[in-house]
Amino acid sequence: MCSDCSRIVCDNRCPNAPEPKPIKICSECKRGIYAGDEYYEGIFGPVCKDCMEDKDLNEILDIFGEKMMVAEVGQWS
C-alpha cells in the first residue's frame, strides 16, 4: 500500500504513480500522444495537434499527400 495515497495501485495524482505511457509518438516532434489527445494520422505517421496548428497550408497538404496545382493555358478539366 502506498504511504502517500493509501492505495494499492497509486492514484494518478499521487507522486508515486507511474508516468503515463503514450499511445502514439508524433512523427514530427517525436513527443508522446496520450489518451484523450487529438492527432491526425498522416501518411508518414501520427501528427499531434500542436504540430498541425504550427503548419502552413502547403505543409498540411504534404501531410495529406497532396499538393497545390498550377493552372496552365490550354488546360481543361
mmCIF file of all heavy atoms in Angstrom, residues 22 24-34 44-48 51:
data_model
loop_
_atom_site.group_PDB
_atom_site.id
_atom_site.type_symbol
_atom_site.label_atom_id
_atom_site.label_comp_id
_atom_site.label_asym_id
_atom_site.label_seq_id
_atom_site.Cartn_x
_atom_site.Cartn_y
_atom_site.Cartn_z
ATOM 1 N N PRO A 22 2.662 6.954 -23.563
ATOM 2 C CA PRO A 22 1.998 7.460 -24.766
ATOM 3 C C PRO A 22 1.412 6.316 -25.584
ATOM 4 O O PRO A 22 1.946 5.204 -25.608
ATOM 5 C CB PRO A 22 3.118 8.170 -25.527
ATOM 6 C CG PRO A 22 4.382 7.567 -25.032
ATOM 7 C CD PRO A 22 4.111 7.128 -23.615
ATOM 8 N N LYS A 24 0.765 6.834 -28.911
ATOM 9 C CA LYS A 24 1.457 7.014 -30.187
ATOM 10 C C LYS A 24 2.556 8.047 -29.987
ATOM 11 O O LYS A 24 2.555 8.778 -29.009
ATOM 12 C CB LYS A 24 0.497 7.492 -31.274
ATOM 13 C CG LYS A 24 -0.599 6.485 -31.596
ATOM 14 C CD LYS A 24 -1.433 6.936 -32.760
ATOM 15 C CE LYS A 24 -2.443 5.885 -33.141
ATOM 16 N NZ LYS A 24 -1.908 4.851 -34.002
ATOM 17 N N ILE A 25 3.476 8.139 -30.952
ATOM 18 C CA ILE A 25 4.532 9.149 -30.947
ATOM 19 C C ILE A 25 4.350 10.008 -32.189
ATOM 20 O O ILE A 25 4.197 9.485 -33.304
ATOM 21 C CB ILE A 25 5.941 8.496 -30.961
ATOM 22 C CG1 ILE A 25 6.132 7.580 -29.744
ATOM 23 C CG2 ILE A 25 7.033 9.555 -31.040
ATOM 24 C CD1 ILE A 25 6.138 8.281 -28.409
ATOM 25 N N CYS A 26 4.365 11.327 -32.018
ATOM 26 C CA CYS A 26 4.201 12.251 -33.140
ATOM 27 C C CYS A 26 5.380 12.085 -34.106
ATOM 28 O O CYS A 26 6.543 12.107 -33.689
ATOM 29 C CB CYS A 26 4.132 13.694 -32.634
ATOM 30 S SG CYS A 26 4.030 14.929 -33.954
ATOM 31 N N SER A 27 5.071 11.927 -35.391
ATOM 32 C CA SER A 27 6.117 11.752 -36.399
ATOM 33 C C SER A 27 6.878 13.049 -36.681
ATOM 34 O O SER A 27 7.952 13.018 -37.271
ATOM 35 C CB SER A 27 5.516 11.214 -37.698
ATOM 36 O OG SER A 27 4.572 12.120 -38.230
ATOM 37 N N GLU A 28 6.357 14.180 -36.231
ATOM 38 C CA GLU A 28 7.004 15.469 -36.460
ATOM 39 C C GLU A 28 7.916 15.862 -35.294
ATOM 40 O O GLU A 28 9.097 16.084 -35.478
ATOM 41 C CB GLU A 28 5.948 16.559 -36.678
ATOM 42 C CG GLU A 28 5.041 16.313 -37.868
ATOM 43 C CD GLU A 28 5.724 16.588 -39.186
ATOM 44 O OE1 GLU A 28 6.414 17.617 -39.295
ATOM 45 O OE2 GLU A 28 5.552 15.781 -40.117
ATOM 46 N N CYS A 29 7.353 15.943 -34.075
ATOM 47 C CA CYS A 29 8.113 16.440 -32.921
ATOM 48 C C CYS A 29 8.658 15.326 -32.033
ATOM 49 O O CYS A 29 9.418 15.589 -31.107
ATOM 50 C CB CYS A 29 7.262 17.390 -32.092
ATOM 51 S SG CYS A 29 5.865 16.600 -31.242
ATOM 52 N N LYS A 30 8.218 14.094 -32.276
ATOM 53 C CA LYS A 30 8.656 12.901 -31.527
ATOM 54 C C LYS A 30 8.195 12.882 -30.073
ATOM 55 O O LYS A 30 8.703 12.127 -29.270
ATOM 56 C CB LYS A 30 10.184 12.725 -31.579
ATOM 57 C CG LYS A 30 10.766 12.770 -32.964
ATOM 58 C CD LYS A 30 10.209 11.693 -33.854
ATOM 59 C CE LYS A 30 10.907 11.711 -35.207
ATOM 60 N NZ LYS A 30 10.048 11.434 -36.317
ATOM 61 N N ARG A 31 7.221 13.724 -29.720
ATOM 62 C CA ARG A 31 6.653 13.686 -28.373
ATOM 63 C C ARG A 31 5.489 12.701 -28.327
ATOM 64 O O ARG A 31 4.912 12.366 -29.346
ATOM 65 C CB ARG A 31 6.168 15.079 -27.958
ATOM 66 C CG ARG A 31 7.325 16.033 -27.671
ATOM 67 C CD ARG A 31 6.842 17.361 -27.196
ATOM 68 N NE ARG A 31 6.258 18.046 -28.349
ATOM 69 C CZ ARG A 31 5.639 19.197 -28.302
ATOM 70 N NH1 ARG A 31 5.487 19.824 -27.167
ATOM 71 N NH2 ARG A 31 5.144 19.746 -29.390
ATOM 72 N N GLY A 32 5.139 12.276 -27.120
ATOM 73 C CA GLY A 32 4.067 11.312 -26.947
ATOM 74 C C GLY A 32 2.694 11.897 -27.201
ATOM 75 O O GLY A 32 2.443 13.076 -26.950
ATOM 76 N N ILE A 33 1.810 11.055 -27.722
ATOM 77 C CA ILE A 33 0.392 11.371 -27.867
ATOM 78 C C ILE A 33 -0.312 10.451 -26.880
ATOM 79 O O ILE A 33 -0.205 9.223 -26.967
ATOM 80 C CB ILE A 33 -0.087 11.119 -29.309
ATOM 81 C CG1 ILE A 33 0.685 12.029 -30.287
ATOM 82 C CG2 ILE A 33 -1.593 11.343 -29.422
ATOM 83 C CD1 ILE A 33 0.446 11.732 -31.745
ATOM 84 N N TYR A 34 -1.004 11.050 -25.907
ATOM 85 C CA TYR A 34 -1.592 10.306 -24.796
ATOM 86 C C TYR A 34 -3.095 10.155 -24.965
ATOM 87 O O TYR A 34 -3.717 10.839 -25.795
ATOM 88 C CB TYR A 34 -1.278 11.028 -23.472
ATOM 89 C CG TYR A 34 0.200 11.089 -23.197
ATOM 90 C CD1 TYR A 34 0.981 12.153 -23.644
ATOM 91 C CD2 TYR A 34 0.839 10.056 -22.510
ATOM 92 C CE1 TYR A 34 2.353 12.194 -23.414
ATOM 93 C CE2 TYR A 34 2.201 10.089 -22.271
ATOM 94 C CZ TYR A 34 2.947 11.156 -22.729
ATOM 95 O OH TYR A 34 4.299 11.175 -22.499
ATOM 96 N N PHE A 44 2.748 9.652 -43.193
ATOM 97 C CA PHE A 44 4.059 9.351 -42.616
ATOM 98 C C PHE A 44 3.975 9.044 -41.131
ATOM 99 O O PHE A 44 4.979 8.966 -40.446
ATOM 100 C CB PHE A 44 5.027 10.503 -42.859
ATOM 101 C CG PHE A 44 5.231 10.803 -44.317
ATOM 102 C CD1 PHE A 44 4.758 11.974 -44.871
ATOM 103 C CD2 PHE A 44 5.875 9.890 -45.139
ATOM 104 C CE1 PHE A 44 4.932 12.245 -46.213
ATOM 105 C CE2 PHE A 44 6.052 10.154 -46.484
ATOM 106 C CZ PHE A 44 5.571 11.332 -47.026
ATOM 107 N N GLY A 45 2.756 8.893 -40.605
ATOM 108 C CA GLY A 45 2.553 8.581 -39.201
ATOM 109 C C GLY A 45 1.716 9.634 -38.501
ATOM 110 O O GLY A 45 1.285 10.615 -39.108
ATOM 111 N N PRO A 46 1.469 9.444 -37.208
ATOM 112 C CA PRO A 46 0.621 10.373 -36.465
ATOM 113 C C PRO A 46 1.281 11.738 -36.286
ATOM 114 O O PRO A 46 2.496 11.837 -36.140
ATOM 115 C CB PRO A 46 0.421 9.680 -35.121
ATOM 116 C CG PRO A 46 1.558 8.731 -34.990
ATOM 117 C CD PRO A 46 1.954 8.343 -36.369
ATOM 118 N N VAL A 47 0.450 12.798 -36.313
ATOM 119 C CA VAL A 47 0.923 14.169 -36.120
ATOM 120 C C VAL A 47 0.056 14.789 -35.028
ATOM 121 O O VAL A 47 -1.174 14.821 -35.153
ATOM 122 C CB VAL A 47 0.822 15.001 -37.414
ATOM 123 C CG1 VAL A 47 1.341 16.412 -37.199
ATOM 124 C CG2 VAL A 47 1.571 14.321 -38.562
ATOM 125 N N CYS A 48 0.689 15.260 -33.953
ATOM 126 C CA CYS A 48 -0.056 15.820 -32.822
ATOM 127 C C CYS A 48 -0.719 17.149 -33.206
ATOM 128 O O CYS A 48 -0.352 17.794 -34.186
ATOM 129 C CB CYS A 48 0.854 15.995 -31.612
ATOM 130 S SG CYS A 48 2.090 17.292 -31.749
ATOM 131 N N CYS A 51 1.599 20.250 -33.536
ATOM 132 C CA CYS A 51 2.355 20.312 -34.793
ATOM 133 C C CYS A 51 1.444 20.705 -35.953
ATOM 134 O O CYS A 51 1.857 21.462 -36.831
ATOM 135 C CB CYS A 51 3.032 18.971 -35.082
ATOM 136 S SG CYS A 51 4.467 18.673 -34.020
#
